[in-house]
């Protein structure tokens, strides 16, 4: 392996694993959105069962 290849290998490892670490830390500090954008209110649709229709 050349020096240039090793440099790019180390750079890519830092970018991939560093991005993963930063993402984990960000999600750990803000796990849920504090407020939704306009029109994006949480209406708890998951609490209601699926729609049943007679066909």
């Amino acid at each position: 392996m050349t020096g240039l290849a090793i440099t790019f290998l180390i750079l890519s490892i830092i970018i991939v694993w560093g991005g993963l670490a930063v993402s984990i830390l960000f999600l750990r500090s803000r796990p849920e959105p504090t407020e939704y954008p306009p029109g994006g209110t949480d209406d708890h649709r998951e609490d209601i069962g699926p729609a049943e229709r007679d066909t």
Side-chain angles (χ1 to χ4, degrees), residues 22-39:
V22 169
S23 298
I24 289 171
L25 292 175
F26 178 77
L27 288 174
R28 192 173 169 194
S29 67
R30 297 182 192 154
E32 295 287 330
T34 55
E35 61 184 50
Y36 292 96

Side-chain angles (χ1 to χ4, degrees), residues 1 7 12 14-17 19 21 24-25 27-28 30-32 34-35 41-42 45 47 49-53:
M1 258 187 176
T7 301
S12 64
I14 289 171
I15 288 173
V16 170
W17 290 105
I24 289 171
L25 292 175
L27 288 174
R28 192 173 169 194
R30 297 182 192 154
E32 295 287 330
T34 55
E35 61 184 50
T41 59
D42 187 16
R45 288 186 184 177
D47 297 338
E52 296 180 11
R53 297 187 173 96

